[in-house]
Every structure is written in C-alpha cells, then in structure tokens.
Amino acid sequence: MSPRVALVSSERGLRLDPDLPIAAPALRQAGLAVDVVRWDDAAVDWADHDLAVVRSCWDYSWRLPEFLGWAASVPRLRNAVELLRWNTDKTHLRDLARAGLPVVPTVWDPTEAGQLPDAPEWVVKPSVSAGSRDTARWDDPAAALAHVAELTAAGRTAMLQPYLAGVDTAGETAMLFLGGRFSHAVRKGPLLRRGEGVRQDRNSRGDLRAVEPTAAQRELAEAALDAVPALVPGAAPPLYARIDLVPGPAGRPVLLELELAEPSLFLPQAPAGAVARLVRSVEDAIAA
C-alpha cells in the first residue's frame, strides 16, 4: 500500500493556495496517496496518514489555541507542533536576536514616543498574524502608538519596527528551505504603502519572481535555520522553512521573518528542481 500523506490547508487555502495544485500531483506521481484537507475537518482520520504536512492553514492567527490543540493531536505532523507553538507568535524574534542574528529592531508594546526607534517611518503589527493582517506603515508617532494601543487593548502583543526604506526598491527576499537544505529564493515586492493605514486585503502575489540570492543572504538564512534546534530542543527537524530578509541601513541583509508554520513555498515561481526537492523531503520525513 502506498504511504498516505495529508496536505493540510484551511477553507480559504483550499481555494487560493497556488502551491497545492503543484505539490499534490507531484507527490502522487512519486507514488504517494495524497489527501488535500482542512485542518479543522472533523471527518479526517489523522492516524490514517503516514505524514500530515501543514500548508496553507491561513486562519490559524485568529484561532491559535484551537489550531495548536489540533496540531498536538496529530501524529507524524510536519512541521512539528513544538515548532508551531514557538513560531506562530513572532515574539520568537526575541530568541533569534538573543542568538546573535541581525533581526529588524523591534519594540514590544510601546506606550510613548520616546520608545520608538529613530526612523522616519514605522511598521506596527500584532505578534500573532498572517498575511499582513492588522499591519500598517506609519510616519506619525501618534498614529503608530494609537495602532499599538488598539492591538494591546484587544489583548494582543504589538510589535513596532522601523520601516526600512530599502524594501521600496529591493523588496523582501524569501529564502526557501526544503528538508533542511536551501532550495530557492523569491523576491516579494513591497507591500505596505505609505498613508494607507490598516488593510486586510493586501496581496503581493502579482509581484513575485525567482532571484539568485547573494552570499550574504545565504549565510544569514542558513544561520537562522541552524539556530532553531537549540531554540526549540527536541522538535523534529523542519520539513520546510521560509526566511524573509530585507536590506538593512548599510545594505546588509537583516532578518524580518522566520516562517515555520504555514509559509507559501512559491512553487509557481520556483526554478526547476524545487518541486522534486519537496517530494524528496516528504519521502525522507515518512522514512524517518
């Protein structure tokens, strides 16, 4: 009998995730039985699968306790629940900074202008979020602090970062790792526009292209991934990771995001070989 794999999504992900129509046929062609399912589908027998792969569970950010409870109940889950617990709250950036990685400077729950980093603009977002929900770019300290206050009043942790102007020209570089090895890089165009405030309908998928990363980007991304085992001891190695880098003030890359929960892998933009690497990674995880 063929090994059975679940590609786990959400109601919205099943409709909109561009990776699933590429990944599922490739895994089936490799001889695996593949189910593409919602994480909250009570009819799914997770114990019937040799591996469950978290993919586009895009509603986790407003259902986090429920999502993590589900993840803890699923045998043979990748990425593992220990990684999901750590990574779904962006306070994990504190751990990465303490590990010596160059992370975009972040102030948590600031309450007064004197706490803001010296910058002409700032980004405010909740520490638990996906798809830039409840995120905005501000050039007025009072507006930035009002956004923070709105988030904290709702019981959320707010993070404030300087807006790095290099993003406007260079965008973000997403570094994709599969099976612990670098696979490909994709440039994501700038997403936050000056003066637009909070929006819930941003979509950068029209401004994506494969790029060749620099040596400095490779070095930082690999260092970030190498730091994970010490920060989340005992967790199974990540099946996939996406590390988002932006240019810092001196042009050197800095770490914006380390995504281990449900990152887009940008398979439609990926160069030849990336899908085969994903298949091998899944096969290796089943055999482990």
Side-chain angles (χ1 to χ4, degrees):
M1 177 180 285
S2 299
R4 181 167 293 279
V5 174
L7 296 181
V8 189
S9 185
S10 59
E11 185 275 331
R12 183 169 179 265
L14 290 177
R15 292 185 286 109
L16 299 177
D17 182 0
D19 289 338
L20 290 176
I22 297 174
L27 291 166
R28 291 181 181 121
Q29 189 172 0
L32 303 175
V34 178
D35 299 318
V36 182
V37 294
R38 296 195 328 267
W39 68 270
D40 56 356
D41 185 346
V44 177
D45 183 358
W46 301 105
D48 193 39
H49 294 82
D50 297 278
L51 194 71
V53 182
V54 177
R55 293 308 316 123
S56 41
C57 299
W58 291 337
D59 54 357
Y60 83 86
S61 64
W62 58 92
R63 302 173 64 184
L64 187 57
E66 182 184 0
F67 176 72
L68 292 177
W70 162 81
S73 75
V74 179
R76 298 179 294 278
L77 185 71
R78 296 292 185 278
N79 283 337
V81 63
E82 295 86 356
L83 293 175
L84 300 180
R85 287 196 191 104
W86 178 75
N87 190 245
T88 46
D89 191 320
K90 292 180 178 62
T91 54
H92 69 260
L93 291 174
R94 296 168 175 165
D95 296 335
L96 293 167
R98 283 193 288 263
L101 293 161
V103 175
V104 175
T106 306
V107 179
W108 306 91
D109 296 337
T111 57
E112 55 188 47
Q115 297 174 287
L116 274 56
D118 184 16
E121 295 183 272
W122 304 271
V123 174
V124 175
K125 53 189 165 184
S127 68
V128 177
S129 178
S132 71
R133 289 178 60 86
D134 300 313
T135 298
R137 168 184 175 181
W138 305 104
D139 60 9
D140 175 20
L145 289 171
H147 187 181
V148 169
E150 182 180 353
L151 293 173
T152 57
R156 305 168 80 180
T157 297
M159 49 195 299
L160 181 145
Q161 300 171 318
Y163 184 80
L164 300 178
V167 173
D168 288 334
T169 53
E172 300 176 19
T173 301
M175 306 284 288
L176 282 303
F177 288 76
L178 297 171
R181 295 177 292 276
F182 175 71
S183 173
H184 56 284
V186 170
R187 178 194 180 273
K188 302 190 288 181
L191 196 59
L192 302 179
R193 301 188 184 279
R194 182 180 294 137
E196 71 177 0
V198 176
R199 285 179 51 185
Q200 310 296 8
D201 59 347
R202 295 187 181 101
N203 188 341
S204 65
R205 295 189 185 278
D207 190 8
L208 300 169
R209 57 182 170 86
V211 292
E212 187 65 31
T214 66
Q217 289 172 326
R218 282 284 299 265
E219 181 181 359
L220 175 52
E222 288 169 355
L225 191 60
D226 288 345
V228 170
L231 298 175
V232 194
L239 176 68
Y240 50 78
R242 195 187 81 212
I243 298 165
D244 291 341
L245 308 178
V246 294
R252 295 282 297 178
V254 294
L255 180 64
L256 179 65
E257 301 274 7
L258 168 60
E259 296 284 0
L260 301 175
E262 40 67 64
S264 293
L265 302 178
F266 301 121
L267 296 181
Q269 292 78 29
V275 176
R277 284 189 286 273
L278 174 62
V279 171
R280 286 197 300 273
S281 300
V282 170
E283 292 174 329
D284 290 346
I286 291 173

